[in-house]
Amino acid sequence: MVGVAGMRGRQTVRGMFQSLGVILVAAGVMYLFIPHDENADPVKAKDYRVELVTAQRAAPYAVLAPEGLGEGWKATVVSYKREQHNAWQLGFLDPDTQYVAIHQSTEEPDKYVPDVTQRAKDTGKTQTVAGQVWQRWEGPKYDALVRTDGGATTVVTGTASFDRLAEMAGALQSKKV
């Protein structure tokens, strides 16, 4: 003979399985009817033109952005923060899906560069790109090309090779508004 507590326990277990079944059916229906594409690129390119114009108007230095990059470059991050030493950031995935970012700021280079490069160090070497001399920095996560000019420090950094960083640095243009 099963007591009242045993009956309630079986009813509770049965109710839990019924609820689970309803949830699984609902999830299956949503999966079938909500469009999805497993082959789609999960990274959406970001249009940064509005933020660029805003930064160019507000910054006390010539804000840089690339022009004429080849196929496959995707902008993924953009920000301008006046309250953080007029910090401009524009990040991309290159055609090999490596990260490349442009950072500019009026902050002291000795503090700013290690911060945006995630602890990279100056190698003492330089690299000339499009007629401009850049310092080469190497780090555990990001390498960088660094240049200070016009009251701001420009850092082209990321997980990409120095060749890709140089490609980005060579494409940088300023259109002060």
Side-chain angles (χ1 to χ4, degrees):
M1 187 182 290
V2 177
V4 174
M7 292 292 279
R8 285 191 183 141
R10 284 190 210 149
Q11 288 174 343
T12 302
V13 170
R14 183 180 316 142
M16 286 183 352
F17 280 116
Q18 288 172 339
S19 296
L20 181 60
V22 169
I23 291 170
L24 290 174
V25 168
V29 168
M30 286 191 294
Y31 180 79
L32 289 174
F33 290 104
I34 294 176
H36 53 276
D37 183 1
E38 287 84 10
N39 297 323
D41 190 353
V43 178
K44 301 281 187 226
K46 188 170 191 90
D47 184 358
Y48 58 88
R49 291 177 292 190
V50 172
E51 289 90 344
L52 176 60
V53 170
T54 301
Q56 287 172 331
R57 288 183 178 153
Y61 56 83
V63 173
L64 300 173
E67 288 190 18
L69 287 175
E71 286 287 313
W73 289 84
K74 278 188 199 172
T76 58
V77 177
V78 61
S79 72
Y80 175 73
K81 296 179 180 159
R82 182 189 297 240
E83 68 282 359
Q84 293 179 2
H85 304 279
N86 298 290
W88 167 246
Q89 176 186 8
L90 183 55
F92 289 82
L93 284 182
D94 76 2
D96 300 323
T97 66
Q98 294 297 310
Y99 184 65
V100 177
I102 301 108
H103 293 271
Q104 287 183 280
S105 176
T106 56
E107 186 175 5
E108 178 62 38
D110 292 341
K111 291 172 68 176
Y112 182 66
V113 178
D115 182 43
V116 298
T117 62
Q118 307 216 2
R119 298 186 320 274
K121 305 263 189 242
D122 188 348
T123 65
K125 299 175 186 172
T126 61
Q127 181 171 344
T128 302
V129 178
Q132 297 180 330
V133 178
W134 296 75
Q135 299 169 330
R136 285 178 71 135
W137 288 54
E138 293 180 4
K141 185 169 183 179
Y142 293 161
D143 292 330
L145 295 174
V146 178
R147 188 168 189 280
T148 301
D149 185 42
T153 299
T154 302
V155 181
V156 178
T157 187
T159 58
S161 67
F162 274 108
D163 288 341
R164 283 286 192 206
L165 298 178
E167 183 179 351
M168 175 61 78
L172 294 178
Q173 301 290 318
S174 170
K175 291 194 169 105
K176 185 73 174 157
V177 178

